[in-house]
Amino acid sequence: MVNSMELIVAKFGGTSVGDGSRIKKAAQSVVNEYMKGNQVVVVVSAINKTTDDLIQVAEEAIGDIASPQQMAEILSMGEMTSARVMASTIESLGVKSTFIDTYNEAWPIITDNNPLEANINFEASEYQSKKLAQLLEQGVIPVVCGFLGRGPNNQITTIGRGGSDVTAFFLGHALSADEVVIVTDVDGVMSTDPRKIEEAEKLDKISVEEMRDIALHGAQVLHPNALKFKDPNISAKIISFEKGNLSDKGTAIIGPFEGDLLKSATLYPEELSIIAVVGEHMIESKGLLSQLTNILSENNINIYGISAAANSMTVFVSKKKSDNAHHLLHRLVVNNDNLSSLSIGNDIAMISVIGPEFNVETPGIISDITRPLHKNNINIVEISSSQTAIILFVEWKDGKKALELIKEVLDEI
């Protein structure tokens, strides 16, 4: 039985094309898929460290007076070089290939005129991508520069952090590819950094949201910004260039990125209560936090928020279970020499504000959110934040108004 033809978008990161031997291995893996009867679009990053070298040279030669447009043109040379070398290497292996840079009429990524942080024009880019499909039908393997775009006046632009990954996922969508393969220097996504823990294991699969969160917290396998462009109907995976095999299983990235969660705010529907435990030198009392959470867990009381300071700890629990929690934690207080008392406050609302890379892409987001609450005399009982979420606790009577004000802020971002 003959397998049906598949369309694969394969993105090779900088380390995957780090030298001549790696480029040849990458090209051979592409040719192998082509010889199976599949169509392949290649996306390449700049050869390892080239972009950093270009930045250093530009800074030494020009200083900080280089215009954004000049820098975009300088930085583009990394991807333009690797695309030319890759296409030539594929042809040396007997398969027709062509590099696609921003000067090529088949260039697919059309952007606005922001030189260094350009936004993709989806409609124009989807239309342009049809020209790549025509090349594929002619038996040609296109090698596309990652990271780059073409502005409305045909000027070179760059699409920011994770640009090559963004290019790959966008082309996967625009071409209705069967699979997007991200080729990097690891076998896939690991349970933790194998350089720090030898027992780290490769994951067979990971959800888009999980992938985003670990990327935001330091895993450098895939840039979180690119996951916004993953088409839910297209398979995706991360594999190692060492295998030289685009069919390697690697780690599959499962599911779509939930577009409605790009930036959203929700009000938890039930009233909460806040319980504050105070004492001296609490932060130095080993296992105290564990004792507190275990007592509530053992009695089926969920914790919606928790914070610890030198002389206090606060937890937020359901108002329905607050009396029970109050009594349980009171026993902990009277039996622990480091604790002195506790208090309880009812009628608390919890608002969850979610957005990928809040603390990376949106500096000042916390002050933007809290400022209108202050202007409307809404007291914030407590606030906590992470890379992707901000949790605010306010009085229940202010919950709906606070939610409206926060949504107005998000709409403006």
Side-chain angles (χ1 to χ4, degrees):
M1 179 177 178
V2 179
N3 291 330
S4 59
M5 179 181 67
E6 292 189 348
L7 198 168
I8 300 167
V9 176
K11 177 260 177 177
F12 292 89
T15 53
S16 304
V17 291
D19 56 37
S21 63
R22 291 185 180 185
I23 292 173
K24 187 168 186 178
K25 176 178 279 191
Q28 186 66 64
S29 69
V30 171
V31 169
N32 290 346
E33 288 301 318
Y34 178 88
M35 298 306 291
K36 293 177 185 177
N38 294 324
Q39 296 176 330
V40 186
V41 175
V42 177
V43 176
V44 288
S45 298
I47 293 170
N48 197 26
K49 297 183 179 179
T50 299
T51 301
D52 291 339
D53 291 342
L54 289 170
I55 291 172
Q56 182 178 349
V57 168
E59 288 178 346
E60 292 175 352
I62 311 169
D64 58 4
I65 63 172
S67 71
Q69 188 59 57
Q70 288 172 330
M71 286 306 301
E73 291 167 359
I74 291 168
L75 296 179
S76 72
M77 291 298 103
E79 278 73 17
M80 287 191 181
T81 300
S82 57
R84 285 162 167 77
V85 177
M86 176 67 83
S88 298
T89 307
I90 291 172
E91 289 213 315
S92 75
L93 297 173
V95 177
K96 191 172 182 180
S97 180
T98 186
F99 62 85
I100 308 293
D101 63 17
T102 59
Y103 301 107
N104 193 296
E105 65 176 15
W107 176 254
I109 307 298
I110 308 301
T111 71
D112 60 16
N113 59 6
N114 188 341
L116 296 176
E117 291 286 342
N119 297 302
I120 295 175
N121 181 325
F122 279 78
E123 185 176 354
S125 299
E126 287 176 343
Y127 177 82
Q128 276 292 110
S129 296
K130 295 177 181 178
K131 297 179 181 180
L132 291 182
Q134 293 172 0
L135 289 172
L136 292 170
E137 292 300 322
Q138 296 167 15
V140 177
I141 296 177
V143 180
V144 181
C145 297
F147 178 58
L148 306 184
R150 187 166 71 201
N153 297 315
N154 294 324
Q155 74 272 32
I156 293 174
T157 61
T158 64
I159 56 177
R161 293 168 291 113
S164 293
D165 293 331
V166 169
T167 303
F169 279 116
F170 178 83
L171 291 180
H173 161 74
L175 297 168
S176 298
D178 295 283
E179 186 170 47
V180 175
V181 182
I182 305 296
V183 186
T184 182
D185 56 353
V186 294
D187 285 340
V189 181
M190 309 296 287
S191 56
T192 191
D193 189 339
R195 293 169 297 184
K196 296 179 179 179
I197 297 181
E198 293 182 1
E199 294 81 7
E201 298 180 353
K202 182 180 74 68
L203 306 179
D204 291 331
K205 61 183 179 180
I206 188 170
S207 73
V208 170
E209 285 74 18
E210 290 171 324
M211 184 72 242
R212 175 200 64 188
D213 287 345
I214 66 167
L216 284 169
H217 289 90
Q220 299 179 355
V221 178
L222 181 67
H223 198 282
N225 187 48
L227 292 168
K228 303 174 190 176
F229 296 84
K230 182 186 178 298
D231 191 309
N233 298 315
I234 296 175
S235 299
K237 65 182 179 183
I238 298 171
I239 67 171
S240 170
F241 75 88
E242 294 282 7
K243 303 289 182 67
N245 179 13
L246 296 183
S247 296
D248 185 60
K249 289 185 177 181
T251 298
I253 304 173
I254 305 299
F257 191 91
E258 298 294 342
D260 60 338
L261 293 182
L262 289 181
K263 289 184 178 75
S264 66
T266 56
L267 174 66
Y268 188 69
E270 296 182 19
E271 294 178 63
L272 304 180
S273 295
I274 179 173
I275 300 177
V277 179
V278 298
E280 292 186 354
H281 309 297
M282 289 176 61
I283 203 167
E284 299 171 5
S285 181
K286 297 180 178 64
L288 184 56
L289 182 60
S290 174
Q291 293 177 50
L292 186 151
T293 57
N294 284 342
I295 287 173
L296 297 180
S297 174
E298 290 166 0
N299 287 273
N300 198 32
I301 298 174
N302 189 39
I303 297 173
Y304 293 89
I306 188 167
S307 66
N311 297 314
S312 68
M313 290 183 184
T314 59
V315 292
F316 292 86
V317 299
S318 169
K319 182 180 178 181
K320 296 176 181 177
K321 296 190 175 184
S322 60
D323 285 343
N324 189 20
H326 192 193
H327 282 86
L328 291 166
L329 294 180
H330 181 257
R331 294 176 198 164
L332 174 66
V333 168
V334 297
N335 289 317
N336 191 305
D337 293 338
N338 289 314
L339 304 179
S340 59
S341 65
L342 78 165
S343 63
I344 183 169
N346 292 319
D347 305 326
I348 303 296
M350 180 176 73
I351 300 173
S352 301
V353 188
I354 298 174
E357 299 184 88
F358 258 155
N359 294 337
V360 178
E361 287 188 338
T362 324
I365 181 64
I366 293 179
S367 63
D368 289 342
I369 287 174
T370 58
R371 191 178 300 113
L373 302 189
H374 171 71
K375 289 181 178 179
N376 285 269
N377 296 315
I378 296 176
N379 183 48
I380 297 174
V381 177
E382 194 158 309
I383 185 170
S384 63
S385 68
S386 69
Q387 292 277 19
T388 59
I390 300 168
I391 309 297
L392 298 98
F393 297 93
V394 300
E395 293 180 28
W396 180 259
K397 65 181 178 61
D398 295 325
K400 290 183 179 180
K401 179 62 177 178
L403 180 65
E404 292 174 4
L405 293 169
I406 291 170
K407 284 185 174 180
E408 289 176 6
V409 172
L410 297 183
D411 288 341
E412 295 173 0
I413 297 174

